[in-house]
Amino acid sequence: MKLTIDKQLVTLGELRQAWSEPVQVSLGIDARRAIAESSEFIGDVVASGEQVYGVNTGFGQLARVHISDDELVHLQENLVRSHSVGVGDDLDEDIVRLIMLMKVIALAEGFSGVRLELVDALCALINHNIYPRIPSKGSVGASGDLAPLAHMSGVLIGVGEARVDGELVPADEALKEAGIEPIRLAPKEGLALLNGTQVSTALALAAVFRTENVLAAALVAGAMSADAVKGSDTPFDRRIQSVRGHGGQIAVAGVLRQLMRDSEIRASHVSCDHVQDPYSIRCQPQVVGACLDVLRHVCSVLETEANAVTDNPLVFTDSKSVLSGGNFHAEPVALAADYLALAIAEIGALSERRIALLVDEHLSGLPSFLVEEGGLNSGFMMAQVTAAALASENKSLAHPASVDSLPTSANQEDHVSMATFAARRLHTMLGNTVDIVAIELLAAAQGVEFHRPGKSSPPLEQAIAELRDISPRYTEDRSLSRDIAKVAAIIDEGRFARHAASVLPSLGA
């Protein structure tokens, strides 16, 4: 993808594409003009001798300390070096690419006082697929994502490490190989790079895109389970949804109707005396629909944040002002991530309940634990236990991170958002939910096949065929661990997203 940043809204779809594959980034005419004007004004401020936070003062609790003109470059580079204290596993390249892109978007608005040379250098890192090594832990999501963004910024000045073609190399070596000169930071530039919510936002956006993938797969699995237990599609009737009026519920019911349309299995029992299905089958529009509404709200928040200016202080050239505020506080991202955590947990919880239904011969009407010669074979007995363990783990992980605040910087930063952890833990939860839905897909496919020669609907039969390409039918006891991992991989890569693309925010909804 080629993307010109020119003070326009970068859409959720473009952000998803930048997450999924390398991107070529450039600055447009309006962005270049705005950056140049802002940088020129900061030069005038320095020349005037006016004391401005972050330009010629210390940082945080040290803001009262004036820095002489001959130490201003040293000040900015010290900031980058001293704040590079992240720990933990490194962030994946797709996350780092999103971080850098969103930093370019923010700086290109022209309110940060940095030079064109700096933003062009950041674009060059993206365009040469140079990914700074950014440890995942160390940010509290206030004053921006200081530690992780310091690791990103260090590569621009030739310190730290970066990944090039998957190999970790010293930053100066990566720059030299790409023909990029290390930057000497001008006044305010280190602060503009480190202040900002780009790390927490990138983690949350990546979680959104993965949630879209697993939500779509959960709808396929839910429809398949409904057919496997000879459930009714009447609860998905549009009239039922319309009198309640929630958009997500209406959309999910529509997807489920499409998935079950023309099923021979459904047609075979349409006039049976069975009255109502368990809630995990019947209430899918209400539960998953509510999760879709959460997802849509979170997408709106994060699209705004991805295009936001979140450093401090901000430069307003029209009024010749440099104003200190708090746009770096990532509370909007923290609350959105906590909200999304609930949806991720519920998608997994509902899927686990359907697995439990499928393996229970008294409720499903299928062979006990979905295997012939039960007793000799245990079938899907332990697969359901694994799903239960994962769903339970997600309950703990869904506890809100944003309600926990520890003051930092000698109480100057006396309330913090914890947005970075709020967003990062979503990926652990998603791993759990993806595995749960993978187990359900395998179990539901097994259940449908007990109704042969009857067939499910065309889209569900297609999904079963895709599953059988990587996991053969379960005829006698074997380990399902690798099968689950293979199905989880195709869920996470978005193989089932096409079935719900029309309702998913970043895929055209």
Side-chain angles (χ1 to χ4, degrees), residues 158-473:
V159 300
E161 297 171 297
R163 281 187 172 79
V164 181
D165 296 327
E167 295 293 323
L168 195 61
V169 298
D172 56 352
E173 183 181 318
L175 294 179
K176 183 178 180 181
E177 188 70 24
I180 302 170
E181 288 292 324
I183 291 284
R184 294 302 307 275
L185 295 176
K188 195 184 175 301
E189 289 185 339
L191 188 59
L193 286 167
L194 269 60
N195 267 172
T197 64
Q198 286 80 28
V199 175
S200 51
T201 305
L203 284 163
L205 277 170
V208 158
F209 304 144
R210 293 183 67 197
T211 301
E212 290 181 315
N213 291 344
V214 75
L215 188 149
L219 291 178
V220 173
M224 198 182 294
S225 292
D227 236 9
V229 300
K230 290 192 172 181
S232 173
D233 58 358
T234 298
F236 311 149
D237 190 294
R238 63 168 46 88
R239 291 167 292 183
I240 295 173
Q241 326 312 321
S242 65
V243 297
R244 196 174 194 185
H246 291 294
Q249 177 180 333
I250 293 168
V252 163
V255 173
L256 290 168
R257 288 196 303 272
Q258 183 64 36
L259 285 168
M260 295 187 71
R261 183 169 295 148
D262 298 327
S263 166
E264 292 178 11
I265 297 172
R266 173 62 184 129
S268 71
H269 63 94
V270 72
S271 299
C272 70
D273 57 2
H274 185 66
V275 180
Q276 291 189 135
D277 298 313
Y279 289 0
S280 61
I281 298 293
R282 190 186 352 151
C283 297
Q284 290 184 74
Q286 290 76 14
V287 178
V288 185
C291 294
L292 178 57
D293 282 334
V294 170
L295 182 62
R296 287 171 169 175
H297 169 74
V298 170
C299 284
S300 175
V301 172
L302 296 180
E303 186 177 64
T304 297
E305 191 72 6
N307 287 275
V309 181
T310 54
D311 60 292
N312 183 65
L314 297 177
V315 179
F316 297 90
T317 56
D318 55 351
S319 60
K320 305 297 182 185
S321 305
V322 182
L323 305 179
S324 284
N327 279 2
F328 49 67
H329 199 295
E331 193 77 3
V333 180
L335 293 174
D338 282 343
Y339 199 17
L340 185 59
L342 300 176
I344 293 167
E346 284 295 88
I347 292 168
L350 196 69
S351 178
E352 185 279 327
R353 288 292 78 204
R354 290 192 297 266
I355 299 167
L357 170 64
L358 287 163
V359 300
D360 187 337
E361 62 180 322
H362 304 293
L363 294 174
S364 69
L366 296 166
S368 184
F369 299 109
L370 300 172
V371 69
E372 295 163 350
E373 296 189 66
L376 174 64
N377 293 305
S378 296
F380 279 73
M381 179 189 295
M382 288 308 298
Q384 187 271 324
V385 173
T386 295
L390 297 173
S392 181
E393 185 175 310
N394 273 355
K395 293 177 184 179
S396 296
L397 289 168
H399 179 82
S402 57
V403 298
D404 182 27
S405 175
L406 284 175
T408 60
S409 194
N411 273 314
Q412 174 76 5
E413 299 155 7
D414 58 350
H415 181 275
V416 299
S417 72
M418 298 297 178
T420 321
F421 169 65
R424 178 166 51 82
R425 68 67 148 86
L426 296 176
H427 293 276
T428 302
M429 296 183 68
L430 280 160
N432 291 339
T433 296
V434 166
D435 284 338
I436 294 169
V437 174
I439 292 169
E440 186 190 357
L441 282 167
L442 290 170
Q446 183 84 356
V448 167
E449 288 173 334
F450 279 116
H451 298 301
R452 297 298 189 222
K455 289 187 176 182
S456 187
S457 67
L460 293 181
E461 287 293 341
Q462 183 183 14
I464 291 169
E466 290 180 68
L467 293 170
R468 288 293 170 250
D469 284 342
I470 56 177
S471 174
R473 176 171 167 73

Side-chain angles (χ1 to χ4, degrees), residues 48-128:
S48 73
E50 179 184 353
Q51 186 162 309
V52 175
Y53 172 71
V55 176
N56 48 19
T57 73
F59 307 102
Q61 186 69 12
L62 303 174
R64 297 181 181 87
V65 179
H66 180 75
I67 309 298
S68 62
D69 287 358
D70 61 341
E71 292 284 8
L72 295 185
V73 171
H74 194 196
L75 170 72
Q76 298 298 318
E77 294 187 352
N78 273 355
L79 179 69
V80 173
R81 294 174 190 272
S82 68
H83 283 53
S84 297
V85 292
V87 297
D89 296 336
D90 296 342
L91 295 177
D92 291 339
E93 290 183 3
D94 50 7
I95 303 288
V96 175
R97 185 166 56 245
L98 267 182
I99 292 167
M100 292 193 290
L101 173 60
M102 288 189 290
K103 181 57 76 173
V104 170
I105 293 168
L107 297 178
E109 288 294 309
F111 296 104
S112 302
V114 303
R115 297 165 299 156
L116 271 168
E117 178 185 353
L118 178 70
V119 188
D120 282 336
L122 192 52
C123 289
L125 291 187
I126 298 171
N127 295 341
H128 285 87

